[in-house]
Amino acid sequence: MSYIDEIIDQVVAQNPDEPLFHQAVREVLDTIRVVVDANEAQFRKDAVLERLVNPERQVKFRVPWVDDQGNAHVNTGYRVQFNSAIGPYKGGLRLDKSVTLGMLKFLGFEQVFKNALTTLPMGGGKGGSDFDPKGKSDREIMAFCQSFMTELFRHIGADTDVPAGDLGTGGREIGYMFGQYKRLKNVYEGVLTGKGLSFGGSLARTEATGYGLLYFTKEMLACNNIDIAGKTCAVSGSGNVAIYAIQKATQMGAKVLTCSDRTGWIYDEEGVDYTILKEIKEVKRTSLAEYVNYRPNAKYTAKAAGDNMDHGVWTVKVDIALPCGRENTIDLDDAKNLVANGVIAVAEGANMPTNLEATKYFQENGVLFAPGKASNAGGVATSGLEMSQNSERLSWSFEEVDAKLQSIMISIFHAADDAAKKYGMEGNYVAGANIAGFEKVLNAMNAQGIV
Ligand code: NDP
């Protein structure tokens, strides 16, 4: 059995009931076979893959908090510190009732390669809790965030581990967590990113993942002689990534026909208006069903309760699909629908929104496919720029950050493209991104000895 297959079996056996983590490991290792097979004896000797798939540290803790009625609740908090070969651990905090250790290991593992691709000195990590922020009052959110940080603070620091936002953790939550960290440590340092602008946040961080996705997509299309202007797009999700992806796509001359949330999805033939989405999701924090009150010609279709998929969105005929909601929301049937409707490109704004079968189907059918760890790296790249500004105790202008973001996204595309070409897999950006990220991390790990 090959070294890679042995490791995949080992990961499954040693991490039972963590299918998302298995999926992420399988996806990465399958695409770096060409590098591992060529160096198998040395890699086995150095246990390279064992060290790569085992987090350096994972912390699990109790998070007690009291609701507005005076009832106590206990959630579980986690921080997975996956790999610090190229810098302090860096990755978001997810607050969602579906959060498990396995989910955070999948996200942390992906983060290691994503961060390596940004060219910035950041290791990989991820954390969060099964706390559900939906429907909670501001006071309850603050109570949870303070309790969460009361344990987390001892494991993080500006030069150790710098968490950021993720699903369910936006500016409000980061603010409460930062306040509690500062109070406990009596240190004012850039320990979290995604902070408010008045206390160390970076301009353009809010927009960065969505904008970065489009900078990457535009470059990928341009290198394949396709102009993004005039193209139609389907977007899933209507949160931070989706809203700014829709804004930038529209600015680039494309038309976005759809978006979605947990309750349903919107089809707007005139092009989704991101200012309305901002009002519904950032200000009112309510369901997308509201959208048709602003745009009566748009159509809202409700989903069955508990439906995690975005099937409806992927039945619409478009040139470009931008899944920006959450993981595993494009399956093989969705991929077949998109291909039958002539989709040219799929670029992931969310983490792993396309399952492995669907990804393969796109690639076999000549669709340009941008994996999230490359195409959505703009968020973490700008977090890296926030860390630089905090260290310098300076704030850069929006234009300066945005220009750096653009150049990072273009260089990520070319790193993936070049690695794919180097190993005879031209156009396979999944393999290219994984190989480029792996080579960088491996280099640093080798230089630092067996640690
Ligand atoms: P948000 O919480 O802002 O938005 C998530 C969106 O997905 C919301 O519209 C939400 O609907 C929708 N959604 C969540 N669960 C479901 C579900 N079960 N079915 C259908 N829709 C669902 O998160 P972000 O936009 O920040 O993140 C989106 C994705 O992008 C995640 O995978 C995240 O890990 C990834 N990502 C985010 C980065 C960032 O900088 N924000 C950076 C890199 C990756 P509702 O409005 O109803 O809650």
Side-chain angles (χ1 to χ4, degrees):
M1 192 187 262
S2 77
Y3 182 32
I4 283 195
D5 291 321
E6 261 175 44
I7 295 297
I8 292 176
D9 283 356
Q10 215 178 82
V11 165
V12 173
Q14 290 176 351
N15 305 271
D17 305 321
E18 294 182 357
L20 287 171
F21 181 47
H22 306 164
Q23 181 182 345
V25 168
R26 199 171 274 126
E27 186 255 320
V28 170
L29 295 195
D30 263 341
T31 54
I32 60 171
R33 267 179 206 279
V34 53
V35 186
V36 175
D37 289 352
N39 299 281
E40 183 160 333
Q42 191 61 44
F43 283 8
R44 272 185 191 274
K45 189 159 178 278
D46 295 340
V48 164
L49 296 183
E50 287 86 338
R51 287 189 288 139
L52 200 68
V53 300
N54 279 292
E56 288 174 17
R57 185 177 302 106
Q58 49 196 43
V59 193
K60 180 179 177 193
F61 52 94
R62 185 177 72 181
V63 189
W65 59 279
V66 177
D67 68 20
D68 289 344
Q69 285 69 47
N71 302 311
H73 299 265
V74 174
N75 286 100
T76 306
Y78 305 92
R79 185 71 183 164
V80 179
Q81 298 181 328
F82 223 111
N83 190 303
S84 62
I86 61 175
Y89 309 105
K90 179 97 198 87
L93 296 171
R94 179 170 289 200
L95 300 184
D96 191 88
K97 58 180 176 228
S98 66
V99 163
T100 58
L101 181 62
M103 176 186 281
L104 299 175
K105 280 159 74 177
F106 129 58
L107 291 163
F109 185 70
E110 293 276 304
Q111 196 82 46
V112 173
F113 302 94
K114 181 190 299 192
N115 293 1
L117 284 169
T118 64
T119 68
L120 302 174
M122 299 181 291
K126 200 84 188 184
S129 171
D130 58 358
F131 171 76
D132 182 6
K134 295 270 166 213
K136 303 287 191 301
S137 69
D138 267 3
R139 198 211 58 81
E140 289 171 332
I141 297 280
M142 183 170 74
F144 172 83
C145 290
Q146 291 180 339
S147 180
F148 182 75
M149 188 51 82
T150 299
E151 174 57 35
L152 188 67
F153 87 98
R154 62 188 97 245
H155 308 288
I156 62 176
D159 294 317
T160 314
D161 182 352
V162 184
D166 188 59
L167 272 174
T169 308
R172 174 181 57 171
E173 292 75 14
I174 291 288
Y176 291 146
M177 290 183 196
F178 182 76
Q180 185 72 350
Y181 177 88
K182 183 167 62 76
R183 185 180 183 202
L184 289 164
K185 274 237 171 133
N186 194 23
V187 175
Y188 203 110
E189 59 175 4
V191 65
L192 290 157
T193 56
K195 297 186 291 300
L197 292 177
S198 57
F199 57 100
S202 174
L203 285 162
R205 173 61 189 93
T206 307
E207 295 83 355
T209 308
Y211 278 19
L213 173 67
L214 268 296
Y215 295 143
F216 186 101
T217 305
K218 188 176 180 204
E219 184 70 7
M220 174 175 79
L221 291 172
C223 289
N224 286 279
N225 301 313
I226 302 166
D227 188 354
I228 193 166
K231 298 291 179 293
T232 51
C233 306
V235 167
S236 67
S238 53
N240 173 261
V241 180
I243 289 174
Y244 295 98
I246 294 171
Q247 182 186 18
K248 190 49 79 178
T250 310
Q251 284 173 355
M252 287 175 171
K255 193 203 263 188
V256 177
L257 299 177
T258 69
C259 62
S260 66
D261 71 358
R262 286 165 217 253
T263 70
W265 64 285
I266 291 291
Y267 176 76
D268 187 344
E269 203 173 11
E270 293 160 22
V272 172
D273 184 335
Y274 73 90
T275 58
I276 297 174
L277 284 188
K278 283 179 72 150
E279 174 70 16
I280 294 173
K281 290 295 174 184
E282 292 179 355
V283 182
K284 294 188 172 168
R285 297 179 187 260
T286 183
S287 154
L288 259 190
E290 280 249 342
Y291 186 87
V292 292
N293 296 335
Y294 297 82
R295 301 267 277 198
N297 290 341
K299 189 174 165 230
Y300 170 76
T301 309
K303 288 199 267 195
D307 181 2
N308 275 345
M309 301 298 290
D310 282 306
H311 296 310
V313 167
W314 314 124
T315 59
V316 175
K317 180 174 167 49
V318 286
D319 301 310
I320 302 166
L322 302 170
C324 298
R326 62 179 308 157
E327 68 279 353
N328 285 335
T329 49
I330 298 187
D331 65 15
L332 184 58
D333 287 338
D334 299 322
K336 286 182 177 168
N337 276 334
L338 283 162
V339 169
N341 280 328
V343 76
I344 308 166
V346 177
E348 296 185 322
N351 287 316
M352 216 165 70
T354 318
N355 76 16
L356 290 176
E357 283 177 306
T359 304
K360 205 159 157 251
Y361 190 80
F362 285 131
Q363 291 180 317
E364 285 168 359
N365 284 278
V367 176
L368 301 173
F369 184 86
K373 75 168 67 68
S375 51
N376 73 25
V380 74
T382 308
S383 286
L385 301 177
E386 183 174 331
M387 289 165 71
S388 305
Q389 294 170 75
N390 291 167
S391 299
E392 279 189 333
R393 303 223 190 289
L394 289 174
S395 297
W396 304 338
S397 68
F398 187 97
E399 291 69 28
E400 200 174 347
V401 179
D402 191 35
K404 286 189 164 71
L405 170 65
Q406 275 193 59
S407 98
I408 289 172
M409 295 314 295
I410 289 171
S411 83
I412 293 175
F413 170 75
H414 287 287
D417 190 35
D418 291 349
K421 284 178 181 150
K422 178 173 155 196
Y423 288 98
M425 294 182 275
E426 185 163 353
N428 185 342
Y429 307 123
V430 177
N434 287 338
I435 291 171
F438 172 68
E439 286 190 333
K440 178 156 185 200
V441 175
L442 178 69
N443 237 317
M445 284 171 70
N446 279 341
Q448 293 169 28
I450 309 295
V451 292

